[in-house]
Amino acid sequence: MCDPTVIASIAAQGAGVALQNRAANKANNLQALRMQQTQERNRGLEDLQAAAIQNSTNAISSNAGKQGMEAAGQELSRILQAAITQRGAPVTASDRSAPKVFMDQNQAAEAAAMMKANMDAKNIAALDASGRYLNQTIAPKIADSAATGQLTGNFMRGNSNVLDTGMRSAATLANSPMAQILQGAGKVGLGYTLYDPDKGN
């Protein structure tokens, strides 16, 4: 008693629904993949930013900072001490003819003055070392960390634009033209077989 047109129409609608579901599942899977890829890219960027911040934090930490300032202070102290010791007064012919007592006293005074100059050099170097360490070591690391943070934010914004485009592209896959044709043909066929020409008159 079943009309072959009814069977074909129902089969076409069923096939259309199956194709549409397959297309929707494909679109959902592609969207999930795009989300996962974007999350992984952003996680990598966040790890890069965290490493830059940790690098700055390590440079500022008490032990590293103290060692860096001490090293800078020692370097400046050596420079200042070298400059001070090079400016000693030359020994002249009249100095050589002076009595030994005066020469010893002069050498002792020079030694005391040199010792005080060396202490002053160390103190000056210690004062200047913190500023030098901050300017040459800490400031560049903080600037690098800030630049990395800014780049990370820009890349993450770019990733969200790419994600949006990918999501819209994946959403277009949810509509299957063949499924629409099969469902439409099934509805028309079913409507045609249910049409009673006697009622139309």
Side-chain angles (χ1 to χ4, degrees), residues 32 40 66 70 135 161 191:
E40 288 172 0
K66 185 177 179 184
E70 285 175 359
N135 285 333
N161 290 339

Side-chain angles (χ1 to χ4, degrees), residues 109-145:
E110 279 184 18
M114 199 59 81
M115 187 183 295
K116 181 168 180 1
N118 284 337
M119 289 301 293
D120 290 345
K122 285 180 183 176
N123 291 335
I124 290 170
L127 286 174
D128 194 41
S130 58
R132 184 174 185 183
Y133 181 74
L134 290 172
N135 285 333
Q136 294 180 352
T137 304
I138 302 297
K141 288 183 189 267
I142 291 174
D144 181 50
S145 176

